[in-house]
Amino acid sequence: MKKVLALVLAALMLLCVVSCGKKDDPSKKSEGVMTYAEFAAAAVDSKVTIETYVQAKQSWWDNKGTIYTQDADGGYFLYEMAMSQEDYDKLVPGTKIKVTGTKAEWSGEVEITDATFEIENGSYIPKAIDVTALFGTDDLAKKMNMFVAVKGATVAAKKNADGADVAFLYKWDGSGQQGDDIYFDVEIGGKTYSFTVESYLCGKDTDVYKAVEALKVGDKIDIEGFLYWYEGPQPHVTSVAAAK
């Protein structure tokens, strides 16, 4: 009897591995849903319908959530999408959602606004895409809102209110304090770019916030984050470590 029970349990476990282990195809779209290429080609202010996967959540208030999402081909920044706190809590990383809203653009950042969503079956969490070589090229914008990596960047100096060189500022102009967004500059391929630790996404108690506070001008670092755009690339950073 014990042997039979063991065989039954083994069979059930195998069935679970086979069925539960199936991975969703993030490039496959349902009928009536845009591919990323179709979304990218759509006009600003046009209605769009996409299927995408939650990667991180920035914030929720007033029944609106701001979400970083991605499929196999591109990233989608969902700005203040209508949802309850209960629904916001359901959107854990990997969750597949179908979104209908309006394609919008603000200071170069392409996003989806006035959106609604429904949760679908499926899960997908991609690895960070190395975009180091794309900085300074037009191809970088094609990776907008995706989860990306930058390798071997050099921390460049920023000027504080006293004119001294520092590795970072609280708020873009240095007028903030600990707990606000952190801005720091890095040199990639001979040019300088601004990166941000968005405090709603990664607050002062997170590892990345503390890591940026510990940076020194000249440090060589590897960075991961979401390729947000503001008058050019300004990634929202989720990880900083000494360059390997």
Side-chain angles (χ1 to χ4, degrees), residues 161-202:
D162 298 324
D165 288 348
V166 293
F168 69 91
L169 297 173
Y170 295 115
K171 292 191 174 180
W172 68 273
D173 58 356
S175 64
Q177 58 188 349
Q178 189 181 57
D180 292 321
D181 298 346
I182 295 182
Y183 287 77
F184 65 102
D185 288 350
V186 298
E187 183 180 300
I188 305 168
K191 295 183 179 180
T192 301
Y193 301 90
S194 178
F195 283 54
T196 304
V197 179
E198 219 288 341
S199 59
Y200 287 127
L201 175 64
C202 297

Side-chain angles (χ1 to χ4, degrees), residues 83-201:
M83 68 183 69
S84 65
Q85 176 74 67
E86 182 181 7
D87 285 343
Y88 182 77
D89 292 342
K90 293 177 183 176
L91 298 182
V92 297
T95 303
K96 183 179 183 180
I97 55 176
K98 180 178 180 180
V99 178
T100 298
T102 301
K103 182 178 178 179
E105 184 176 335
W106 184 74
S107 296
E109 166 66 14
V110 176
E111 55 196 24
I112 298 177
T113 61
D114 302 320
T116 58
F117 77 99
E118 56 187 86
I119 295 176
E120 298 185 325
N121 291 326
S123 181
Y124 173 64
I125 298 179
K127 293 181 179 179
I129 299 171
D130 188 344
V131 295
T132 310
L134 298 183
F135 274 81
T137 75
D138 292 340
D139 287 335
L140 183 63
K142 297 176 184 178
K143 307 299 183 183
M144 189 185 300
N145 296 318
M146 297 183 80
F147 186 52
V148 300
V150 175
K151 305 291 187 181
T154 303
V155 178
K158 296 183 78 71
K159 296 289 185 181
N160 66 13
D162 298 324
D165 288 348
V166 293
F168 69 91
L169 297 173
Y170 295 115
K171 292 191 174 180
W172 68 273
D173 58 356
S175 64
Q177 58 188 349
Q178 189 181 57
D180 292 321
D181 298 346
I182 295 182
Y183 287 77
F184 65 102
D185 288 350
V186 298
E187 183 180 300
I188 305 168
K191 295 183 179 180
T192 301
Y193 301 90
S194 178
F195 283 54
T196 304
V197 179
E198 219 288 341
S199 59
Y200 287 127
L201 175 64

Side-chain angles (χ1 to χ4, degrees), residues 4-48:
V4 172
L5 181 60
L7 290 172
V8 170
L9 288 174
L12 288 173
M13 289 177 66
L14 179 60
L15 180 62
C16 182
V17 168
V18 172
S19 60
C20 300
K22 288 181 179 178
K23 294 183 178 179
D24 198 43
D25 182 353
S27 62
K28 186 177 181 181
K29 303 297 180 181
S30 301
E31 185 176 352
V33 174
M34 291 175 153
T35 63
Y36 181 76
E38 290 170 332
F39 169 80
V44 171
D45 295 329
S46 64
K47 292 294 182 182
V48 294

